[in-house]
Amino acid sequence: MIFNDEIWRILESEQPIGERINARLALPSVSKKLYAALDSNKNRHLLISLDKIEDEHWDLQSKGFSIVTRDLVVKGFEPKKYIDITCHDNAGRIIFDAIGSEIAEKLDKGNSKEIIVNVISKWRNFWGRPLRDLLSYNELMGVFAELWFLSHWLLPKMDKLEAINRWRGPFLSRHDFEWNGKSIEVKATTNNQSRIHKIHGIEQLAPPKDGQLFLFSLRLREEEGAENTLPNLIASFREKLKDDIDALSKFENILVVIGYSSIHEEEYSKVKFRIVDEKLYDVTKDFPRIISESFSEGVPLGVGVIEYTINLDGYSNLCISTSPNEYIKF
């Protein structure tokens, strides 16, 4: 079970003043020890009540959140100590809710401090990794295309965590999506005259062992009036995952691997795409490609990396779908 936004709306409607904090049991059906709270600056808090024998906990080194232990009075109860986890990054609120939900599910099964430390460690990648430079335009477009395919083509057809586990491109696998017997390579282009894609190496369009390879081609047009941006797509995907903590955790870790950080959202939001069309191709022997078998005696000695472009105009016979609404068994 994960937080319902209703609890935050209720707390916001009871806006506290001064140093007061409004608090309510976050998930009363799960735990009587975890409170959701809001201060006068509208910062969100998770308050975990401590038994007298439980250890305090402090963490002031992490980006995006802080953890302190302090004495508080919750209306109707005696003063006692609480571990107070405060969210300082509004972009991380969905993750903050997921942290609270996971803590609530485990609080009655062990030591509060140990549970908090373990849960925070699991999610620390989201806030704690050093920032890298901005994604390049090509990297941004590639991530957008892969996430578009994951969100619109895979996720509706299977378990959420299973869909995310099939996303292998960020881990430098041969194909962008891989699972038993099938692989999918994702390509995006802003060329509106022809469907041209760049291929990197002779293995990229080689099928998996004893399996089938597909190529997903997403044609985009950059337009100021368009609404599709990478930050919007990521926000929408997080919303779809918010009731599945494991899937959301895996997704956030993949964003870290990619090098995506919400601190650059304003810059990324300047790149706006209109979806021109999308096509899924079956990569058969008739597909335009260079693979090892293209050379009768193998790749010539001394030849290094092979990169080339393909033009899929005229290969409509290999297109098996033009919409995620068409039934494709993945």
Side-chain angles (χ1 to χ4, degrees), residues 149 153-154 166 174-187 199 203-208 211-217 279-284 287 289 310 312 318-321 327-330:
F149 179 80
W153 289 70
L154 273 193
R166 294 182 178 189
R174 183 151 63 99
H175 300 123
D176 295 315
F177 293 88
E178 296 178 343
W179 63 98
N180 188 33
K182 287 187 175 66
S183 289
I184 295 174
E185 187 63 25
V186 174
K187 293 293 180 182
I199 307 301
E203 292 295 317
Q204 196 168 48
L205 292 185
Q212 191 174 12
L213 175 64
F214 301 90
L215 184 140
F216 176 69
S217 172
K279 293 186 177 183
L280 185 68
Y281 291 86
D282 188 1
V283 182
T284 68
F287 196 87
R289 59 180 175 167
I310 60 173
L312 295 179
L318 298 180
C319 177
I320 59 174
S321 181
Y327 180 76
I328 299 291
K329 187 175 181 179
F330 289 121

Side-chain angles (χ1 to χ4, degrees), residues 35-274:
Y35 293 81
L38 197 74
D39 63 31
S40 59
N41 294 317
K42 296 188 177 181
N43 292 317
R44 294 184 178 185
H45 299 250
L46 299 172
L47 304 178
I48 298 93
S49 64
L50 294 180
D51 297 329
K52 291 182 179 180
I53 60 172
E54 290 188 299
D55 295 330
E56 300 181 0
H57 184 47
W58 301 74
D59 182 348
L60 302 176
Q61 306 301 316
S62 297
K63 183 191 302 183
F65 66 91
S66 61
I67 304 175
V68 300
T69 301
R70 54 179 176 155
D71 293 310
L72 293 170
V73 178
V74 172
K75 187 176 181 179
F77 295 89
E78 294 294 322
K80 66 186 307 184
K81 288 187 182 297
Y82 291 82
I83 292 178
D84 179 2
I85 308 174
T86 306
C87 178
H88 302 293
D89 180 2
N90 290 344
R93 284 182 171 179
I94 289 179
I95 309 306
F96 192 67
D97 288 355
I99 288 173
S101 301
E102 188 165 353
I103 288 174
E105 290 175 354
K106 298 177 178 179
L107 267 180
D108 296 332
K109 302 174 185 177
N111 178 275
S112 296
K113 176 184 174 181
E114 291 179 1
I115 290 168
I116 292 167
V117 169
N118 289 336
V119 172
I120 291 294
S121 295
K122 172 182 175 181
W123 289 94
R124 193 179 298 276
N125 275 346
F126 177 67
W127 279 308
R129 290 282 188 89
L131 297 178
R132 58 160 283 180
D133 293 334
L134 283 165
L135 298 173
S136 69
Y137 182 83
N138 285 338
E139 288 173 328
L140 183 151
M141 189 165 62
V143 173
F144 181 93
E146 290 177 27
L147 188 52
W148 182 271
F149 179 80
L150 176 61
S151 179
H152 291 80
W153 289 70
L154 273 193
L155 195 67
K157 292 181 169 65
M158 64 188 66
D159 174 78
K160 295 172 183 177
L161 182 58
E162 180 183 355
I164 293 172
N165 283 335
R166 294 182 178 189
W167 190 14
R168 303 302 303 162
F171 301 100
L172 303 182
S173 295
R174 183 151 63 99
H175 300 123
D176 295 315
F177 293 88
E178 296 178 343
W179 63 98
N180 188 33
K182 287 187 175 66
S183 289
I184 295 174
E185 187 63 25
V186 174
K187 293 293 180 182
T189 181
T190 54
N191 188 318
N192 290 299
Q193 302 303 315
S194 298
R195 191 176 293 276
I196 295 175
H197 297 295
K198 188 171 184 178
I199 307 301
H200 305 278
I202 61 174
E203 292 295 317
Q204 196 168 48
L205 292 185
K209 182 176 174 58
D210 300 322
Q212 191 174 12
L213 175 64
F214 301 90
L215 184 140
F216 176 69
S217 172
L218 184 65
R219 203 147 57 103
L220 306 167
R221 176 173 290 162
E222 193 174 343
E223 291 182 0
E224 185 57 33
E227 297 182 352
N228 294 303
T229 68
L230 182 56
N232 286 347
L233 184 56
I234 288 174
S236 171
F237 197 73
R238 283 174 174 153
E239 186 68 22
K240 292 177 181 179
L241 299 181
K242 69 177 185 178
D243 61 347
D244 190 324
I245 292 173
D246 291 333
L248 184 58
S249 174
K250 182 66 178 286
F251 176 64
E252 294 299 340
N253 280 311
I254 291 178
L255 291 183
V256 171
V257 171
I258 290 170
Y260 180 87
S261 171
S262 59
I263 198 170
H264 298 310
E265 281 186 355
E266 183 177 355
E267 193 66 27
Y268 293 144
S269 294
K270 295 176 183 177
V271 182
K272 303 175 182 180
F273 293 120
R274 178 170 70 84

Side-chain angles (χ1 to χ4, degrees), residues 267-313:
E267 193 66 27
Y268 293 144
S269 294
K270 295 176 183 177
V271 182
K272 303 175 182 180
F273 293 120
R274 178 170 70 84
I275 308 300
V276 177
D277 59 31
E278 45 196 317
K279 293 186 177 183
L280 185 68
Y281 291 86
D282 188 1
V283 182
T284 68
K285 61 182 180 59
D286 298 321
F287 196 87
R289 59 180 175 167
I290 299 174
I291 57 177
S292 298
E293 289 75 11
S294 301
F295 304 92
S296 59
E297 298 180 1
V299 179
L301 187 64
V303 173
V305 177
I306 297 176
E307 293 189 336
Y308 60 101
T309 59
I310 60 173
N311 188 337
L312 295 179
D313 292 350

